[in-house]
Amino acid sequence: MKRASWRNFFSLIRIPSISALPEHKDDMLACALRWKELLLAAGADEAIVMPSQGNPLVFAQKHVSNDAPTLLIYAHYDVMPAEPLGLWKSQPFEPEIRDGHIWARGADDDKGQAMIQVKAFEYVVKNGLLKHNVKLFSKVKKK
């Protein structure tokens, strides 16, 4: 990944989007807004943050053709609480590369997977390879 991609990924990890803790409600919105920015930068025609009864939902889409099939890509942007903090060798929301791995809460489940999806989407859009309409949906998976 390019340096800017790492910065974008780490910017997501640094947001403690812990849906299980009400004190992180503002973080949940911040994370949804950051996803919106990243999806637009990746080539989505539109991206919106939608309020819900709980935490916000993120929806983006890229329209290629009315005749093209549509692909739905799903992810969730919340993470588990980081406690017990004493088990961490580094700060849970400050990404650290150690032994060839990224150590941080959400680096894998699910911000890492979602970032891979966004980067693949960006690649096919920017290289003219996209043949399907794409809808990207991210919500909160109750933890």
Side-chain angles (χ1 to χ4, degrees):
M1 260 189 339
K2 295 180 180 176
R3 189 169 293 196
S5 296
W6 286 112
R7 278 195 306 272
N8 287 334
F9 181 40
F10 288 178
S11 74
L12 284 170
I13 293 172
R14 288 185 177 110
I15 301 171
S17 52
I18 306 168
S19 63
L21 301 176
E23 60 267 28
H24 286 279
K25 188 149 188 77
D26 289 343
D27 295 318
M28 298 303 297
L29 177 58
C31 194
L33 291 169
R34 184 66 182 127
W35 273 119
K36 174 186 170 183
E37 292 171 357
L38 293 172
L39 290 163
L40 288 170
D45 295 330
E46 70 170 323
I48 56 174
V49 173
M50 301 180 293
S52 74
Q53 289 181 350
N55 290 295
L57 311 171
V58 182
F59 174 78
Q61 64 182 339
K62 177 75 174 174
H63 183 78
V64 173
S65 166
N66 289 338
D67 297 324
T70 299
L71 174 67
L72 175 65
I73 299 173
Y74 165 80
H76 65 90
Y77 66 89
D78 60 330
V79 299
M80 297 289 291
E83 288 78 14
L85 297 176
L87 297 178
W88 286 86
K89 292 182 181 178
S90 56
Q91 293 298 312
F93 295 101
E94 184 54 45
E96 181 178 298
I97 299 175
R98 191 169 63 243
D99 302 323
H101 300 278
I102 300 170
W103 293 90
R105 176 59 83 210
D108 181 34
D109 180 14
D110 190 42
K111 293 176 183 177
Q113 174 187 325
M115 182 58 86
I116 290 168
Q117 294 168 337
V118 170
K119 297 310 287 180
F121 169 72
E122 178 181 51
Y123 179 85
V124 296
V125 169
K126 294 193 174 173
N127 288 284
L129 302 171
L130 188 61
K131 307 296 182 214
H132 294 73
N133 299 313
V134 178
K135 297 181 185 285
L136 301 110
F137 180 69
S138 187
K139 69 175 202 71
V140 170
K141 183 179 176 185
K142 287 282 187 185
K143 303 284 185 188

